[in-house]
Amino acid sequence: LYLPKEKQADIPYNKTFIKRGTGVCIFFNSNNLLHDKPILFKNCNSAEYLFRQICNSYTRENEFKTLSLFYEIISELNETFLEKSKLDCATTYITKHIDDPFIDLQVLAQRCGVSKDYFRHLFKQIYGVSPTQYIANQKIIRIKEKLLTSNKSIREISFLCGFYDENYFSRFFKKHTGLTPNEFRRKYMTMY
């Protein structure tokens, strides 16, 4: 987990955690511009191994070994971060065009400057889901928002969200949520 420096000086970083376990908090400066939002790196097997080594060297008070391992991790994560930043244009495009009837993976790959096959592989590696699953998840979020925040009919919402067949829209929604759009609206509308 990368946490950017807080604006306040009294933030207890050692109290910030996702789940219980052993951890080491390392403060460092960088000549390069660092990300200003927290980042959780997942599926970095070699980094996980290096973190375990850091914990061991830290408990043995081997400061030099701890720092060298830390910089090795930074190098490893930097490569992951650079790969993720390649996909930013794709996720931005998806967000802008989520109401389109179809988002072409070839177009996304071209926008990122990579082949379609490499795009699929990289996307799954970084986000943990295929680009198609990611798009479907984003569409479901959009549909839920429309169902709960407007009085429009299911037919109107299906058209607004890029579905020209209301039956397909309902099947798509039920496949991803377990409920039809009407059932979802009845169940959750009272919460809003």
Side-chain angles (χ1 to χ4, degrees):
L1 178 67
Y2 163 71
L3 295 171
K5 188 173 183 179
E6 292 284 350
K7 307 261 187 287
Q8 294 174 236
D10 61 342
I11 300 294
Y13 284 99
N14 60 326
K15 304 267 190 256
T16 306
F17 59 88
I18 294 172
K19 63 181 183 179
R20 295 200 178 275
T22 306
V24 176
C25 189
I26 300 173
F27 297 92
F28 67 99
N29 293 318
S30 173
N31 293 330
N32 299 329
L33 189 61
L34 296 170
H35 209 272
D36 61 347
K37 292 186 174 122
I39 303 170
L40 178 62
F41 291 93
K42 293 182 178 181
N43 304 326
C44 295
N45 295 333
S46 55
E48 184 178 345
Y49 170 74
L50 291 169
F51 270 112
R52 291 185 194 286
Q53 285 189 307
I54 275 187
C55 287
N56 288 338
S57 65
Y58 183 80
T59 54
R60 293 188 187 121
E61 297 183 10
N62 188 340
E63 188 177 334
F64 183 72
K65 175 83 171 168
T66 302
L67 285 174
S68 70
L69 288 166
F70 172 72
Y71 285 112
E72 198 173 334
I73 289 170
I74 291 295
S75 172
E76 176 96 11
L77 296 182
N78 190 45
E79 288 178 32
T80 304
F81 184 70
L82 289 174
E83 293 292 296
K84 184 181 183 301
S85 67
K86 277 185 192 174
L87 298 177
D88 286 346
C89 60
T91 54
T92 301
Y93 183 89
I94 291 167
T95 301
K96 278 185 175 176
H97 296 269
I98 199 62
D99 291 332
D100 290 1
F102 177 71
I103 297 175
D104 189 352
L105 295 187
Q106 184 65 43
V107 170
L108 294 175
Q110 286 172 347
R111 293 181 75 83
C112 295
V114 297
S115 74
K116 188 176 174 181
D117 287 338
Y118 183 69
F119 174 75
R120 279 192 191 121
H121 168 76
L122 184 60
F123 202 98
K124 175 99 178 181
Q125 181 183 349
I126 300 294
Y127 289 99
V129 293
S130 71
T132 307
Q133 290 169 313
Y134 180 88
I135 292 166
N137 293 342
Q138 296 305 305
K139 276 199 175 283
I140 290 297
I141 290 168
R142 179 82 166 138
I143 294 166
K144 285 178 177 180
E145 174 192 324
K146 292 245 183 247
L147 286 169
L148 297 178
T149 61
S150 79
N151 293 324
K152 295 187 184 311
S153 70
I154 302 301
R155 183 179 178 82
E156 288 175 295
I157 291 172
S158 73
F159 280 116
L160 287 171
C161 293
F163 293 85
Y164 299 125
D165 179 346
E166 188 180 343
N167 290 326
Y168 175 69
F169 171 76
S170 292
R171 286 193 312 272
F172 174 85
F173 190 82
K174 185 164 185 167
K175 176 185 173 187
H176 291 280
T177 65
L179 299 169
T180 66
N182 276 321
E183 290 169 341
F184 178 84
R185 187 177 249 177
R186 278 194 302 271
K187 184 173 182 178
Y188 295 103
M189 191 64 134
T190 55
M191 296 177 168
Y192 284 85

